[in-house]
Amino acid sequence: MASIAPLLLLVLLSTALTISSGSVDGFTINGRVKIPQGMGTKGFVLPGKTSNVKVILNGGQIVTYLRPDGYFSFQNISAGTHLIEVTAIGYFFSPVRVDVSARNPGKVQAALTENRRGLSELVLEPLREEQYFEIREPFSIMNIVKSPMGLMVGFMLVVVFLMPKLVENMDPEEMRRAQEEMRNQGVPSLASLLPGGGRN
Amino acid sequence: MAIRSFFVPFLLLVLWFYSSLSPVLSLYEDQVGLMDWHQQYIGKVKQAVFSTQKTGRRRVIVSTEENVIASLDLRHGEIFWRHLLGSNDVIDGIDIGLGKYVITLSSGGSILRSWNLPDGQMVWESFLQGPKHSKSLLLLPTNLKIEKDNVIVVFSNDRLHAVSCIDGEVLWKKDFETESFETQQVIQPPGSDLIYVVGFAASSQFEMYQINARNGELLKHESAIFSSGFLRELSLVSSETVVALDSTGSILLTISFQNGEISFQQTPISNIVEDSSGPAVIIPSSVPGIFAIKINSVTIFIRVIGKGKLEVVEKLNQETAVSNALPISESQQAFALVQHAGSEIHLVAKLAHDWDANLLKESIKMDQQRGIPHKVFINNYIRTDRSHGFRLLIVMEDHSLLLLQQGAIVWSREDGLASIIDVTASELPVERDGVSVAKVEHNLFEWLKGHMLKLKGTLMLASPEDVAAIQSMRLKSSEKSKMARDHNGFRKLLIVLTRAGKLFALHTGDGHIVWSHLLHKSEACQSPVGLNLYQWQVPHHHALDENPSVLVISRCGPSSDAPGVLSFVDTYTGKELNSLSLDHAVVQVIPLPHTDSTEQRLHLLIDSDKHAHLYPKTSEALGIFKREFSNIYWYSVEDHNSIIKGHALKCKCTGEVADEFCFDARDLWSVVFPSESEKITATVTRKLNEMVHTQAKVMADQDVMYKYISRNLLFVATVAPKGSGEIGSVTPEESWLVAYLIDIVTGRILYRVTHHGAQGPVHAVFSENWVVYHFFNLRAHRYEMSVIEIYDQSRADNKDVWKLVLGKHNLTSRISLFSRPEVITKSQSYFFTHSVKAIAVTSTAKGITSKQLLIGTIGDQVLALDKRFLDPRRSVNPTQAEKEEGIIPLTDSLPIIPQSYVTHALRVEGLRGIITVPAKLESTTLVFAHGVDLFFTQLAPSRTYDSLTEDFSYALLLITIVALVAAIFVTWRLSERKELQDKWR
């Protein structure tokens, strides 16, 4: 969440009116969607390309698109509390609650519903980028070693190269005793277990 | 078998640990297209405008009935760009301005937008208002300029506007004072500064306004009365003449308003057409000098010669479509006619002033399943020998779009798939035995080669060409689109029914169309409207040589009590096996859980008089049905008066219909919601074919809860009538939402909860013993998702193992829904960020795999959300035991993890529905999302615990095995030698 803070600072604090009572039969909501440069380099939306960004009022009551400069407007809006959602592939936008007041037209009341942060101006910015794919981890020897196959090979190598060393370091007396014990018990040797091992 | 039964829980345990570690289930970018496919459509074309300037790519701009504007490549039919406008923002007209802007008029003429032609970026948006609602007309005069500014003339909301093409500024506007004036046409004679607005006032008065196009000044206003009235349709034959019909449809009126003088010329149709019977209708067209009328099904072309003299030029009996006129030179205009004749369509292009000469006359073979041509758009190009060539864009009955040029179909688009109304899945045929050895060897070699390449890829040794080869190999593996069943049940057919009444079978492997079938038109029913799809015959394992079939229920006409039509379609071949025209309406269809000896499923069709009709109409089916007679219950919802009624069967039909397959129904119960405070918005039941693995749920403290699993539960959501409008129209105090769980056999309300300050729309999904529903919370002004889980208390004392061993439990005792069930419910609500268009739940073959909710968001993406996030038992600080059980600490809102979007970086434009189909492999479910676009993918909600992933490196496994074997032999040799040395010593 720390990465959000600098973004939020980008919101301009101006006093532009976002809501006006333009005509007789309703109010107008004007706003702007701003996708900061530097974001959007991941290949989903080209920087500055806003043609596939939709702005949706009240879950589909009105759908509008952005002008090249990012501005949008809704007309003939009744007084009340409305919800604006912005959809853009690659970005996460918080829905915005907008209060259109009939008593004092022109009063701005907008807040992000995700974090209840008020907006002095209807400038909508993505809260974060959305990365839809897992990042493939680069190849590393550790991954191969950690995989079941790697472990099998590793164990094999240990047995082949380290076991004889261990056996060598053993006391020859003890070794002989152990071997005798084994013979007495009739434990078959590794060689006799293998095919062709019975020849000698 | 014993091992397996041990193994499954073990595997589940493993998988559960696995999944609890990382609840996210995601995709790498290079896996896109491996298991999923995405198809983009636009819908049935309403209007098309060609853009064939010499510079730039040739394209055609279309607006469609799905409310899409799109720019298509004229060469291949691909989409350059596309916008789906809101559902309240219906497109009225489109045109191209200045050769670089697409102008659209929408929302009943109140929104005018301009889009950049090359990339679809919106340039400007203009809101046009006016005194009252009216017809909306868009006109782009080619050479009308006001201060070097090209002008768009819009008539909408009873006001005439002139709008600048550059920035959408309204240059002037003009109101018409006449009461009840209905504008029919706005005419701008080329080369003049005049605009004519013509229309009718009252029912018998023709009005003409002549307006200065430069400033909107009214120059002249004339009106004339024709005593017998007009039909409200005009055909423009020249810039100063229109043709209308009188109110009886038998007299043609040529109205000329040259120099502001209105003059009528009456011509009775019977004078020029000998055997005319019945009223005529004008076919809207804009060909100079010629208009078309339709009497019964005969299309008649009539030419206007001189002063109101009419002459019939041609009578066509076949279904005909006429294009608008296309200026091909200074003085010549061409238009096209398309006629349907059996398996061919005839194309004719003619000059407007010379009927007898054909510029183009071609016949093209046309797939019968495309039906008749509905619309035609004409465009021309200059051939190398400077003669005119024509290309025609044709919209067919099945909503497909075709481009015809030089007697051939250049491309076609199946845009009927943009309006799917129902989907069902069908198995593919079983693979035949006897695969040739050569093929296997080839495959083995290919397989090894592929895996070596893959290994190179994982070891980062692959060259860029290799990487490309790997990717293409993965994408077009021939296995995927094979026309046979696979072992895992991933390959299936999706049978879809479109609004045009056409069935398509889509292969789940790559989405290609296997077959398509336009619903059969019979004598009794000229225009069947498809309603639903049901699985009719699903052959069981022992009868695999039989083909499965689906039942298509359609209605004969638009009204809800029109008689129904049943069609039975073979899902392997797409052939219509049988078609039945019913003598009753179909209001409700109940697929019964019984099949006859030929595996035909019994269906009960309820008609508008509440009679139940049994299908198939065989005595065997009747026998089965009689046995289950008293166990059949259903419910009906009456939205308008907020009543839910429960029904059962009573007896054979009495009265005029003496049919032994017809039964009377009786009302068992009814739940009446107070209409002043509650209005039904959503009703949901469980899916009929859902599998539930176990009824018991083991809690963290070794306690057992029994899920209350009943097929007869109904979830109903009601809202306050005031709050059924849009968000923002009510205050939280006057809006509420009530959720009910109702038993549909007894009508008993098992649970009821009120959410104060909540508002619809409600989207809900019901599965196993839980319901999840999505609604809007007005107080917090956020969307909320609530879950209700229902548990059976009557079995709660079956926890004692000894009781189970000694058989003293009541698990197998019969349950009657008439006895009061002892249930407890748990519920919880969470915030959810987005608006929702559809909710579904994953379904798997045995119901063992944990569930995920599939949420279609407002951004047309599908989000997979683990059901564990919607567990009512989530608490702020779960105990250690609860954590082990997989309970996630409580948060107020549901997380949106970008990696769990199943549609990844794609949009399913205009999303309407999400369907899940279980694969044979328990871990996997097939997901199909449809709207204007189609999207299909495979999903493993708990990861693929029962199969190796596609990523699995067989080559590495082989190398390891080889290395191990080599190591064994080496060590064997070594030990042998050592032993020998020891013996010599």
Side-chain angles (χ1 to χ4, degrees), chain A residues 8-200:
Chain A
L8 301 183
L9 293 176
L10 285 172
V11 178
L12 298 169
L13 297 170
S14 83
T15 51
L17 299 181
T18 58
I19 297 169
S20 59
S21 56
S23 64
V24 217
D25 44 351
F27 299 87
T28 302
I29 302 177
N30 291 312
R32 187 175 182 193
V33 173
K34 218 162 136 189
I35 295 174
Q37 295 295 319
M39 281 186 122
T41 46
K42 296 271 158 63
F44 300 118
V45 180
L46 294 171
K49 180 161 170 139
T50 47
S51 69
N52 281 321
V53 179
K54 282 186 199 174
V55 189
I56 299 161
L57 184 81
N58 293 345
Q61 187 191 344
I62 308 181
V63 181
T64 192
Y65 287 83
L66 298 183
R67 278 177 225 157
D69 51 4
Y71 282 95
F72 65 89
S73 63
F74 292 111
Q75 302 242 337
N76 284 350
I77 307 300
S78 60
T81 310
H82 300 275
L83 189 75
I84 293 178
E85 285 168 279
V86 180
T87 70
I89 290 285
Y91 300 98
F92 177 80
F93 281 89
S94 163
V96 183
R97 164 200 179 128
V98 178
D99 292 299
V100 177
S101 154
R103 257 173 256 153
N104 37 359
K107 198 158 174 268
V108 185
Q109 279 278 353
L112 298 181
T113 62
E114 280 293 284
N115 49 17
R116 307 205 179 146
R117 200 173 55 82
L119 292 179
S120 59
E121 197 197 17
L122 205 56
V123 176
L124 314 178
E125 301 204 25
L127 283 190
R128 56 176 182 263
E129 270 181 81
E130 287 192 327
Q131 183 69 45
Y132 298 115
F133 301 106
E134 290 283 287
I135 310 284
R136 219 177 247 291
E137 277 174 37
F139 171 75
S140 73
I141 291 294
M142 271 323 278
N143 276 0
I144 291 268
V145 172
K146 273 195 217 152
S147 73
M149 267 78 88
L151 289 176
M152 274 157 81
V153 172
F155 180 72
M156 204 58 207
L157 290 175
V158 167
V159 169
V160 171
F161 295 105
L162 290 183
M163 282 296 274
K165 288 260 163 65
L166 283 178
V167 170
E168 269 168 31
N169 289 346
M170 274 168 81
D171 185 33
E173 281 289 310
E174 216 169 285
M175 181 85 166
R176 206 167 296 144
R177 210 178 299 144
Q179 271 178 347
E180 242 158 58
E181 234 168 70
M182 257 154 76
R183 247 171 243 143
N184 289 345
Q185 279 174 2
V187 175
S189 70
L190 178 69
S192 63
L193 271 176
L194 287 163
R199 278 179 300 178
N200 38 3

Side-chain angles (χ1 to χ4, degrees), chain B residues 713-733:
Chain B
L713 271 187
L714 171 71
F715 168 81
V716 181
T718 64
V719 290
K722 263 191 164 176
S724 56
E726 269 115 16
I727 296 165
S729 56
V730 277
T731 59
E733 287 71 35

